[in-house]
Amino acid sequence: MNLDQYLDSLRQNPAFLSCVTHWEVLPAQPARLMDMPAGLSEPIVRALHKRGIYQLYTHQRRAVDAALSGRSITVVTPTASGKTYCYNLPVLETILRDRNARALYLFPTKALAADQNAEINAFIADMGEEVKAFTYDGDTPVNARNAVRLAGHIVLTNPDMLHSGILPHHTKWVKLFENLRYVVIDEIHAYRGVFGSNLANVIRRLRRICAFYGAHPQFVCCSATIANPGELAARLTGLPTDLIDESGAPMGERHFIFYNPPVVNEQLGIRAGAVAHARRIASSLLKNDIYSITFARSRLNVEVLTTYLKRLVRDQLGRDDAVRGYRGGYLPTLRREIERGLRDGTVKAVVSTNALELGIDIGQLEACVLCGYPGSVASTWQQAGRAGRRKSTSATFFVASSAPQDQYIVNHPEYFFQQSPEHALINPDNLYILLNHLKCAAYELPFAQDERFGENEGTQDMLQYLEEEHILHLAGGKYHWMAEEFPASDVSLRTALDENFLIIDITNPDHHEVIGEMDRYTVPMLLHDRAIYLHNATQYQVEKLDFPAKRAYIKHVDVDYYTDADLSVSLRVLDEFKRRGCCAFGEVLVSSLVTMFKKMKFDTHENLGYGEVNLPELEMHTTACWLELNDELFAGLESEDAHGAMAGVAHALSMLAPLYLMCATWDINVRYHVKDPFTDRPTLYLYDTVTGGVGLADKAFDMMPVLLSRARETIAACPCEKGCPSCVGTPSENGKRDAVTLIGRILDEQFAR
């Protein structure tokens, strides 16, 4: 059965349609074309003709014209719209005109860099010209690295390698930096939060080194659809860019199906689980031989869904590689193997976290299943775009959970299809991040006394601080590096702290094997002693978690349950930076502790029992905004000790705020204290979940009236009578009514002026 036939069958299925809240059909779009730029070199034209390309899409032509005229650009078009030509054509044209010209391509992952390297080298081969393009990352052989430095016209790498392997050793890259004409930053929407804040500082260091060698490169940035691509590109690069955001690429017919699992308890408003219904849809696609990708929001759900789907394809010899899981924590060799299987068609279904959201070529996928809302409209479109990349019909099934955010989207499809309110936020001047990169920059080149790092006005204060700490030495009007250590090795771009744990399989006593890694803050939840750790649908039990050594030792087991831990979080205010009425913004200390875990049975998801967890408490300094509520706001409310009303407000805010902050739900957290030790009042906190904060709480402080208004609308519009998991979380007698009343009073009394 092909996809069109499958969709027709769903339209005739009353049980399926009873759960569909909206079925949007986006019509196919024809290509909009323009002639090739006049004067484009004959070898490039010849290579394009070999690919059957005689005209360019409108956005490609505009990008090429702008880049060749010397302007930096930002290209924002959908997945599979040919953004690669927007930078490859002007770069190759420039190199053909000047053989000394160089270009640096940055991709967020090594896999994407390798994918694009194969693409550009195939194009160069069709040109028949001596242009050298190489990847330079941790997998590049040592004996090949010198050739890349000297002969590479185009160097493809990732931000991590630029940060630790290229910039600190710029004296070995003189040929590149003296002649650098273009810096390409692909998938800039991926550079949000900590990662984006770090990259902005890496680019500051790059431009500083280029200026030292007399080069001032143009930037070409590419992005999926977000609300502020020009602003994000400017913050990343430190330069204004021309925005090109009208796509001329053709697009096949796309079906977007909003699916809300049925209510299983009408009194409480509880719906059937999203995982179970995503499993049904993905299984149905697999049985009908429709190639698909399923996105889940957590590592645990990826492994649970992969386990279910593998059962459908497992043969008598136990082979089940037609279904694969894909997520962070898998080793690179396993990820490359899965990517090859997707391209050659041996993998029919893949279950992934957002790790496959970026533009790696993953072959002919026809359908996409979203198990829960990905956290932003941009991510949703990016994930949906992983299916139908060959301009054919595609289908995306959004399976909503009971979370307020999911229920808001599934019941307000017009919100999703209208212009996105989301912004990609970074904070390059986060003190923790900035200071680390200032040290890296000082190691690379001495700082003049009056020199700024980027546009940061506090550069001199930080340089003086580093001198006092005997890290820098002031001599001859310049700050020189004097510490012994290599600063870049201690700075991770992906997290504010570099503290990944290794996961070691000790099933075979004669051969211990590292099979994955995990960040420090996730470890207590998934790798505590006696946890069942799922890896590529295989079950392991954690025999020992060595926290000081950052190692978890696991053994293969065969059990019919998995584990899920409970996290206890507390926080206290350290400093207040600004205030508006009852709303404040400042610095907080967040303490988290995992105290117990539960065993959940496969298929039925029933609770089989509990166990204790004994791990150290983790502390994190971050930023938060908070609402201090006076007793008058609660007058006449019937919820005992204000608990019910505050719980409802906190629950709705925690799911709706990410819609307007453009972040995943786990990038922020919302907590409330009925009587807070710091404010001595009922207080509700929204805080960044990364060390130092990346601006999300600050943005929430500015948007608090909007966030509260949307929360009130969502709670009031919920069809339940007294509150449910889709509006106020835990149902209570008057929780829903009191939450609506409380928000109204806050808005009227504190934000009306």
Side-chain angles (χ1 to χ4, degrees):
M1 184 182 294
N2 64 33
L3 181 60
D4 289 312
Q5 293 170 327
Y6 179 75
L7 293 173
D8 287 340
S9 71
L10 292 182
R11 287 193 176 97
Q12 309 303 319
N13 186 337
F16 179 83
L17 291 178
S18 67
C19 296
V20 174
T21 61
H22 186 73
W23 188 317
E24 184 84 8
V25 180
L26 303 175
Q29 296 179 8
R32 291 184 292 132
L33 301 167
M34 296 177 72
D35 291 334
M36 299 281 185
L40 198 63
S41 296
E42 193 276 334
I44 293 178
V45 174
R46 182 172 62 245
L48 288 169
H49 287 177
K50 282 187 178 181
R51 286 164 160 70
I53 300 172
Y54 295 88
Q55 292 179 295
L56 297 180
Y57 300 141
T58 51
H59 66 277
Q60 293 172 333
R61 171 63 192 271
R62 289 169 184 150
V64 172
D65 287 345
L68 289 176
S69 66
R71 303 198 299 274
S72 292
I73 59 174
T74 300
V75 182
V76 185
T77 56
T79 303
S81 57
K83 286 192 284 284
T84 300
Y85 286 133
C86 294
Y87 51 82
N88 278 346
L89 296 187
V91 166
L92 291 170
E93 178 66 27
T94 301
I95 292 170
L96 291 179
R97 295 177 186 177
D98 176 7
R99 293 292 179 159
N100 287 321
R102 296 290 187 266
L104 180 68
Y105 287 14
L106 292 178
F107 301 96
T109 65
K110 288 196 294 184
L112 195 50
D115 200 48
Q116 291 298 318
N117 183 53
E119 167 69 22
I120 194 169
N121 273 297
F123 192 89
I124 290 170
D126 288 342
M127 286 170 47
E129 294 287 330
E130 283 293 318
V131 178
K132 303 294 185 182
F134 302 105
T135 55
Y136 189 86
D137 55 34
D139 298 333
T140 305
V142 175
N143 56 4
R145 296 190 175 196
N146 194 50
V148 177
R149 297 184 190 112
L150 297 177
H153 292 98
I154 302 171
V155 178
L156 300 92
T157 189
N158 55 70
D160 311 84
M161 196 65 180
L162 178 63
H163 154 67
S164 61
I166 296 178
L167 295 182
H169 309 291
H170 59 87
T171 54
K172 297 179 180 180
W173 292 84
V174 174
K175 190 78 171 176
L176 174 73
F177 289 118
E178 282 184 338
N179 300 284
L180 191 60
R181 299 282 294 278
Y182 290 97
V183 177
V184 174
I185 310 178
D186 200 10
E187 309 278 4
I188 65 167
H189 58 279
Y191 300 110
R192 308 198 301 262
V194 172
F195 195 16
S197 302
N198 273 305
L199 178 65
N201 281 288
V202 172
I203 298 301
R204 287 172 173 174
R205 290 159 52 197
L206 170 65
R207 292 183 60 204
R208 186 168 177 261
I209 289 172
C210 287
F212 176 77
Y213 287 103
H216 300 279
Q218 297 169 234
F219 285 82
V220 179
C221 301
C222 297
S223 176
T225 303
I226 54 176
N228 61 334
E231 176 194 348
L232 177 61
R235 296 210 75 187
L236 286 173
T237 65
L239 295 169
T241 64
D242 288 2
L243 182 63
I244 299 169
D245 57 359
E246 292 185 6
S247 175
M251 191 171 293
E253 184 177 83
R254 291 176 295 168
H255 295 254
F256 217 111
I257 301 160
F258 289 72
Y259 183 96
N260 207 10
V263 174
V264 294
N265 186 320
E266 292 187 5
Q267 289 183 326
L268 297 179
I270 297 173
R271 293 185 178 274
V275 172
H277 281 261
R279 170 193 179 184
R280 291 183 186 177
I281 295 171
S283 299
S284 178
L285 292 166
L286 188 58
K287 290 174 182 176
N288 284 282
D289 211 28
I290 295 171
Y291 285 63
S292 68
I293 182 169
T294 299
F295 284 101
R297 289 172 56 185
S298 71
R299 295 179 176 189
L300 182 59
N301 282 345
V302 164
E303 295 294 350
V304 170
L305 281 166
T306 303
T307 301
Y308 290 149
L309 295 181
K310 276 181 173 288
R311 293 177 185 174
L312 295 178
V313 298
R314 187 170 294 134
D315 61 21
Q316 293 180 340
L317 298 178
R319 293 174 299 198
D320 54 13
D321 284 348
V323 172
R324 303 299 293 266
Y326 190 104
R327 60 171 174 79
Y330 284 6
L331 295 180
T333 50
L334 178 58
R335 293 202 297 268
R336 300 300 90 77
E337 175 191 327
I338 297 167
E339 290 158 14
R340 284 194 300 272
L342 285 165
R343 285 193 290 270
D344 63 29
T346 56
V347 174
K348 293 184 177 182
V350 62
V351 185
S352 177
T353 56
N354 61 357
L356 275 179
E357 182 177 307
L358 300 177
I360 304 167
D361 182 6
I362 55 175
Q364 184 67 24
L365 299 178
E366 301 171 88
C368 174
V369 181
L370 307 180
C371 182
Y373 186 61
S376 72
V377 170
S379 287
T380 305
W381 281 118
Q382 190 74 0
Q383 292 181 8
R386 306 308 281 143
R389 289 173 57 83
R390 302 287 191 256
K391 315 298 185 293
S392 58
T393 300
S394 65
T396 297
F397 299 85
F398 164 49
V399 182
S401 72
S402 292
Q405 187 183 43
D406 288 44
Q407 290 300 306
Y408 183 89
I409 294 293
V410 81
N411 290 302
H412 297 83
E414 71 284 353
Y415 167 85
F416 179 80
F417 290 106
Q418 289 171 358
Q419 184 176 358
S420 168
E422 301 163 349
H423 290 72
L425 297 176
I426 63 172
N427 181 15
D429 295 326
N430 171 295
L431 185 60
Y432 183 90
I433 293 172
L434 181 65
L435 192 62
N436 279 332
H437 286 281
L438 191 68
K439 289 193 289 185
C440 294
Y443 176 89
E444 291 152 5
L445 290 170
F447 267 94
Q449 277 188 292
D450 59 349
E451 184 180 350
R452 280 189 182 184
F453 186 51
E455 296 300 318
N456 190 276
E457 297 179 356
T459 303
Q460 297 308 312
D461 292 336
M462 286 184 285
L463 290 172
Q464 291 172 14
Y465 166 76
L466 293 175
E467 184 194 19
E468 293 170 2
E469 295 296 312
H470 305 293
I471 295 172
L472 302 181
H473 175 64
L474 180 61
K478 292 186 176 181
Y479 289 94
H480 298 264
W481 181 262
M482 63 177 292
E484 293 183 2
E485 66 266 19
F486 175 62
S489 64
D490 296 326
V491 179
S492 168
L493 302 189
R494 311 282 171 156
T495 61
L497 298 173
D498 183 17
E499 294 186 322
N500 274 7
F501 283 59
L502 294 180
I503 303 169
I504 303 170
D505 180 6
I506 60 172
T507 305
N508 183 346
D510 299 322
H511 177 64
H512 292 182
E513 180 184 9
V514 175
I515 67 167
E517 60 182 358
M518 191 176 293
D519 66 274
R520 177 177 182 241
Y521 291 106
T522 308
V523 163
M525 295 286 289
L526 300 181
L527 287 177
H528 54 81
D529 289 348
R530 292 181 292 150
I532 298 299
Y533 173 70
L534 299 174
H535 186 91
N536 200 22
T538 302
Q539 297 157 287
Y540 298 87
Q541 179 166 294
V542 179
E543 298 296 309
K544 179 184 179 183
L545 174 60
D546 189 337
F547 213 86
K550 300 176 187 173
R551 284 173 168 80
Y553 299 94
I554 62 176
K555 274 187 179 179
H556 174 61
V557 293
D558 186 10
V559 294
D560 64 349
Y561 67 91
Y562 60 94
T563 56
D564 195 9
D566 290 329
L567 184 68
S568 173
V569 177
S570 62
L571 55 90
R572 61 186 176 92
V573 174
L574 300 178
D575 198 4
E576 182 180 304
F577 300 148
K578 54 185 178 180
R579 173 178 289 275
R580 178 188 175 191
C582 70
C583 189
F585 169 74
E587 183 181 4
V588 297
L589 176 66
V590 180
S591 302
S592 58
L593 181 65
V594 175
T595 57
M596 62 181 294
F597 68 92
K598 52 190 174 183
K599 299 177 181 179
M600 308 295 292
K601 186 176 176 61
F602 279 114
D603 296 314
T604 64
H605 301 282
E606 60 187 297
N607 192 331
L608 300 179
Y610 296 88
E612 291 186 357
V613 178
N614 296 302
L615 287 175
E617 186 175 60
L618 301 180
E619 292 186 340
M620 174 181 66
H621 289 254
T622 188
T623 53
C625 68
W626 60 91
L627 293 167
E628 298 176 17
L629 309 179
N630 58 48
D631 293 337
E632 288 76 15
L633 293 172
F634 295 91
L637 299 187
E638 299 183 30
S639 297
E640 185 178 354
D641 296 328
H643 173 83
M646 292 191 70
V649 176
H651 192 75
L653 276 180
S654 67
M655 290 302 182
L656 288 175
L659 292 173
Y660 296 90
L661 301 178
M662 193 172 183
C663 63
T665 53
W666 51 85
D667 288 336
I668 62 167
N669 212 333
V670 178
R671 298 277 168 176
Y672 70 92
H673 295 156
V674 172
K675 183 159 185 175
D676 185 78
F678 175 78
T679 65
D680 201 33
R681 294 177 177 179
T683 305
L684 187 147
Y685 292 90
L686 184 153
Y687 63 90
D688 288 34
T689 58
V690 295
T691 301
V694 291
L696 297 172
D698 196 6
K699 187 76 171 179
F701 173 83
D702 295 332
M703 296 181 67
M704 187 56 69
V706 174
L707 296 177
L708 288 171
S709 296
R710 296 296 177 268
R712 178 172 62 175
E713 290 172 11
T714 301
I715 297 171
C718 186
C720 68
E721 183 178 343
K722 297 181 178 179
C724 70
S726 296
C727 60
V728 295
T730 304
S732 62
E733 185 65 27
N734 299 292
K736 178 179 179 179
R737 184 183 65 191
D738 288 352
V740 171
T741 302
L742 178 60
I743 295 175
R745 290 176 178 177
I746 296 171
L747 289 170
D748 292 342
E749 295 184 22
Q750 301 294 331
F751 295 104
R753 294 183 293 276

